[in-house]
Amino acid sequence: MAETALAEVMAELASLEDPRARAVNEKHGDDHGVNLSKLRAVAKRLKTQQELSRELWETGDTAARLLALLICRPKAFERDELDAMLHDARTPKVHDWLVNYVVKKSPYAEELRVSWFADPDPVVASAGWALTTERVAKKPEGLDLAGLLAVIEVEMKDAPERLQWAMNHCLAQIGIEHAELRARALDIGERLEVLKDYPTSPGCTSPFAPTWIAEMVRRQQVK
């Protein structure tokens, strides 16, 4: 039954392949050509199917893995299973969805955060930083926020792109959420100038930490 379902789903994904979508996705490092709105529509129809999700993940196909993350049951994965999946998730969208849609909802999220944060692989470490940023915003108790700023101050400027982006997000989140550390976060951002010249679409907030912090704080004060 599972094999038949897998074959049918893979055939459907193949039928949704769009060369234009693939060209856009490949600019961001994602090797698939399925429009994400159409992918979500498939997931909505399939609903939650944990076994099929595992089968889709095992194909190694990026579109199939994205679909797997939409139809899985996050709390059904064991810690080591999530760890192996993260180490195997090399495209940015699969990596991001795995962390945001699955790991953050897992009972092993904190354990994995600590493990990944210290990983020598910068892509894996970026997942640890993403989970840390989540805690900065929602459950900062027990975190050494000043210590995080110290690490960011020393390492962010020369970090590989994915890790740098995750560190920058953490820097901004600390500045936004913790008024007592805001001046230091702003100072670090101003001095390091990470993402200062990042092209930003009209109506969007720049990822440059000082600009990001200032805008989000302004919105909070308006409320």
Side-chain angles (χ1 to χ4, degrees), residues 88-106:
D88 194 37
R90 306 317 293 181
T91 62
K93 186 67 71 177
V94 170
H95 181 276
D96 290 345
W97 282 21
L98 176 59
V99 172
N100 289 297
Y101 296 171
V102 182
V103 179
K104 285 182 179 179
K105 300 175 183 177
S106 166

Side-chain angles (χ1 to χ4, degrees), residues 7-19 33-35 38 42:
E8 290 174 355
V9 174
M10 293 302 292
E12 183 172 5
L13 291 176
S15 73
L16 293 174
E17 174 73 22
D18 180 346
V34 179
N35 176 282
K38 294 180 179 179
V42 175

